[in-house]
């Protein structure tokens, strides 16, 4: 594989995708590279009952109904909007879908307050326009326009953060399926080829920044992705990501299962505490998503590798957890302190194991930050 800090899914799983394509004899919508069932298999992984000659790894963890509804939507003439809390795997699912359907997940526009219509339509190469005038050759198509021309999936990240002008431009793309270029006299319409669609993501915590217009809402099917609260699936996601990290850094280190349990347990406890909190000051600022859990473990692993003895220890894990979650001082620190006194301390007395070391590590980290 070529050297890339982070390869897109179609590169990373090219071999699996090639194989699935080779055995796929079911009908495919438009110019899709795989049939809907194969796409589902690629994303959710194979089971013994599938009777395949080889195993396909599970890449996204969550209810299959979300994946099925997403695939069905993309075959319809509506766009797909994945919506949910931060870190619930929306962008990752979007990338996997685009990779499986089009073998191209990189036609992405990032929605921000500064995103303009040009970013989703086209702009001009100014020096070429000066030299040769405005023509298709001096035009710079946006990733969305490129997706239209190629008949593949275009992605729009953080849709709700963009302004209503941009959202309006998207309405016309999704309903008319063409973009006109009034600056040109001829060859001035770009039509979407069959297979074009859009996968957008939106963070439910951003809602209200720019509430989506009802016209745009009608052009999307919403798929709501919940925070994973099932410990078993969560453990699998964390393990899956961590293995990848270790491979990327060529680190040889075992993550002891009992430390993984402590990590999952403390996130579950902190989520329960946040859910029962009555004011924002009693809630950690963090959404306590799976992605954050991965971040905590990742930092602890790197810390142990760079500064420790290459063994992951409970103290290091506790330090990394406190460090990542204490964003606001004093509010977050007070919540963590309360948790350490009220929950970790008794648990360390009752359960023993690695908990006492976790208790000490957390105490020390809280003291340093206070
Ligand atoms: N259900 C899941 N299955 C597999 N990986 C997941 C899942 N949830 C989170 N992850 C992992 O967590 C990390 C963050 O996920 P991702 O960026 O897709 O979240 P997001 O929902 O787009 O968050 P945000 O709203 O902050 O953009 C990724 O590395 C992803 O692999
Ligand atoms: Mg995202």
């Amino acid at each position: 594989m070529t050297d890339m800090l982070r390869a897109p899914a179609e590169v990373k799983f090219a071999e699996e995708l090639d194989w699935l394509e080779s055995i796929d004899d079911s009908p495919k919508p438009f110019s899709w590279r795989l049939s809907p069932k194969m796409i589902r298999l690629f994303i959710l992984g194979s089971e013994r009952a599938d009777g395949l000659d080889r195993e396909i790894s599970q890449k996204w963890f969550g209810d299959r109904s979300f994946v099925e509804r997403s695939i069905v939507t993309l075959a319809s003439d509506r766009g797909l909007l994945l919506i949910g809390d931060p870190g619930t795997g929306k962008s990752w699912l979007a990338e996997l879908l685009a990779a499986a359907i089009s073998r191209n997940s990189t036609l992405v526009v990032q929605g921000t307050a500064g995103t303009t219509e040009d970013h989703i339509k086209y702009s001009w190469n100014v020096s070429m326009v000066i030299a040769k005038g405005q023509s298709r050759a001096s035009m710079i198509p946006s990733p969305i326009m490129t997706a239209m021309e190629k008949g593949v999936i275009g992605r729009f990240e953080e849709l709700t953060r963009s302004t209503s002008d941009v959202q309006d431009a998207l309405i016309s793309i999704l309903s008319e399926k063409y973009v006109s270029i009034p600056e040109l006299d001829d060859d001035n319409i770009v039509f979407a080829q069959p297979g074009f669609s859009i996968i957008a993501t939106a963070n439910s915590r951003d809602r209200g920044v720019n509430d989506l217009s009802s016209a745009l809402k009608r052009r999307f099917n919403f798929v709501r992705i919940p925070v994973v609260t099932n410990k078993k699936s969560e453990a699998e996601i964390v393990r899956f990501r961590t293995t990848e990290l270790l491979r990327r850094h060529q680190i040889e280190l075992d993550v002891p299962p009992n430390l993984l349990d402590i990590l999952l347990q403390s996130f579950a406890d902190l989520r329960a505490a946040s859910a029962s909190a009555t004011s924002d000051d009693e809630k950690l600022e963090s959404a306590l998503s799976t992605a954050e859990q991965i971040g905590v473990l990742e930092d602890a692993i790197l810390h142990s590798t760079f500064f420790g003895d290459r063994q992951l220890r409970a103290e290091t894990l506790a330090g990394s957890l406190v460090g990542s979650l204490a964003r606001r001082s004093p509010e977050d620190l007070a919540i963590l302190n309360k948790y350490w006194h009220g929950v970790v301390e008794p648990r360390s007395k009752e359960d023993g194991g690695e908990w006492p070391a976790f208790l000490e590590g957390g105490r020390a980290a809280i003291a340093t930050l206070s």
Side-chain angles (χ1 to χ4, degrees), residues 48 52 57-58 86 89 95 135 144 153-154 159 166-167 179-180 194 196 205 253 256 281 287 295 319 326 342-343:
R48 202 166 294 153
L52 297 180
S57 62
Q58 180 162 14
E95 179 175 338
S135 69
I144 299 289
I153 302 288
L159 178 63
V166 172
Q167 294 181 17
V179 170
S180 55
F196 165 71
R205 300 212 173 187
L253 178 149
D281 282 354
V343 181

Side-chain angles (χ1 to χ4, degrees), residues 59-62 84-93 157-158 201-203 225 228 237 240-241 290-291 294:
K59 297 162 195 76
W60 189 80
F61 297 81
D85 270 342
T88 45
K90 302 180 293 296
S91 302
W92 177 231
L93 179 58
E157 285 285 293
E158 309 293 356
T201 62
N203 193 317
I225 310 289
V228 179
I237 302 177
F240 168 75
R241 280 287 146 185
T290 310
I294 298 170

Side-chain angles (χ1 to χ4, degrees), residues 76-284:
S76 78
D77 66 354
R78 261 149 295 131
L80 169 65
L81 179 61
L82 300 171
I83 182 162
D85 270 342
T88 45
K90 302 180 293 296
S91 302
W92 177 231
L93 179 58
E95 179 175 338
L96 290 169
L97 285 164
I101 293 173
S102 317
R103 283 283 188 123
N104 186 343
S105 65
T106 56
L107 295 169
V108 187
V109 172
Q110 189 70 40
T112 66
T115 309
T116 64
E117 231 183 288
D118 293 358
H119 291 120
I120 63 167
K121 290 187 168 171
Y122 56 89
S123 53
W124 298 97
N125 177 331
V126 177
S127 55
M128 260 179 90
V129 170
I130 293 170
K132 298 190 179 151
Q134 276 176 325
S135 69
R136 284 297 274 272
S138 53
M139 204 179 90
I140 307 170
S142 70
I144 299 289
M145 195 182 229
T146 304
M148 294 174 82
E149 288 178 304
K150 292 188 170 172
V152 300
I153 302 288
R155 294 174 50 203
F156 199 126
E157 285 285 293
E158 309 293 356
L159 178 63
T160 39
R161 285 193 199 155
S162 60
T163 60
S164 48
D165 288 1
V166 172
Q167 294 181 17
D168 286 347
L170 205 56
I171 296 178
S172 84
I173 290 178
L174 283 168
S175 36
E176 276 95 47
K177 316 270 187 208
Y178 66 74
V179 170
S180 55
I181 311 158
E183 293 93 332
L184 297 183
D185 292 330
D186 40 33
D187 198 12
N188 56 7
I189 298 184
V190 171
F191 292 98
Q193 298 300 306
F196 165 71
S197 191
I198 291 186
I199 307 178
T201 62
N203 193 317
S204 38
R205 300 212 173 187
D206 285 344
R207 268 251 182 122
V209 177
N210 274 302
D211 255 359
L212 294 179
S213 71
S214 53
L216 189 58
K217 278 184 195 150
R218 267 188 285 117
R219 284 163 181 86
F220 277 105
N221 272 353
F222 287 42
V223 173
R224 238 165 240 291
I225 310 289
V227 173
V228 179
T229 45
N230 171 324
K231 261 207 204 147
K232 193 166 153 276
S233 322
E234 192 152 40
E236 274 175 292
I237 302 177
V238 175
R239 222 175 280 124
F240 168 75
R241 280 287 146 185
T242 320
T243 315
E244 197 180 283
L245 169 89
L246 295 172
R247 206 181 315 124
R248 179 148 36 98
H249 286 274
Q250 296 174 329
I251 298 174
E252 306 249 343
L253 178 149
D254 282 326
V255 177
N258 51 357
L259 286 189
L260 191 58
D261 282 346
I262 289 185
L263 178 67
L264 294 170
Q265 184 59 49
S266 41
F267 263 70
D269 294 338
L270 288 165
R271 274 178 198 149
S274 271
S276 63
T278 47
S279 79
D280 278 348
D281 282 354
E282 294 168 35
K283 252 189 215 153
L284 285 171

